Amino acid sequence: MDAATCQMCGRLFMKQGRSPYCPSCNEVDYKNFLKVRDFIREPANKQTTIGALVEATGVSELDITRYIHEGRLIIKDNPALAISCVRCGQPTNEGKICSNCQRDMQKELSSLQESLTKQSSIRTYRLD
């Protein structure tokens, strides 16, 4: 366990997991997440925007966006909650990166892996 400073309240605490928050702030964060999740699950709230969600739940826009980026908050059924892709800036409701960028990045990775395997299969001989 490492000592860390809580990003929410600034207190020193013993870090036990990946959370940047102390246990009490982590509990508050989890309760806020549940408020947001339960609100967007209601059929009447399927077209709510982030601004309306902030107003209805009292949870900050930054926290809501963080929940989406972390993959904790699934917004595929809520098209009005789309956020910007961190790579191209297009609206996405799938996390940090839109499906087009994910596809492009997968192609780039595959081509890099292919070129590395081609390079490693070439044998080099030295004459001493």
Side-chain angles (χ1 to χ4, degrees), residues 48-56 61 81:
T48 192
T49 61
I50 288 185
L53 187 57
V54 168
E55 191 175 311
E61 183 175 343
L81 288 178

Side-chain angles (χ1 to χ4, degrees), residues 62-86:
L62 185 64
D63 285 340
I64 293 169
T65 306
R66 182 173 49 85
Y67 300 148
I68 295 168
H69 284 305
E70 290 173 351
R72 292 168 58 189
L73 193 62
I74 308 300
I75 58 170
K76 287 189 179 201
D77 296 335
N78 302 70
L81 288 178
I83 58 173
S84 297
C85 171
V86 295

Side-chain angles (χ1 to χ4, degrees), residues 84-125:
S84 297
C85 171
V86 295
R87 188 169 184 238
C88 69
Q90 293 296 319
T92 181
N93 59 358
E94 300 176 9
K96 285 185 176 185
I97 302 172
C98 68
S99 58
N100 290 335
C101 287
Q102 287 176 5
R103 216 176 4 262
D104 292 345
M105 290 169 67
Q106 187 62 43
K107 286 179 187 175
E108 290 173 21
L109 183 61
S110 296
S111 70
L112 282 172
Q113 285 175 332
E114 189 176 302
S115 68
L116 285 174
T117 38
K118 283 182 182 177
Q119 286 178 358
S120 65
S121 66
I122 298 174
R123 295 183 181 234
T124 306
Y125 297 97

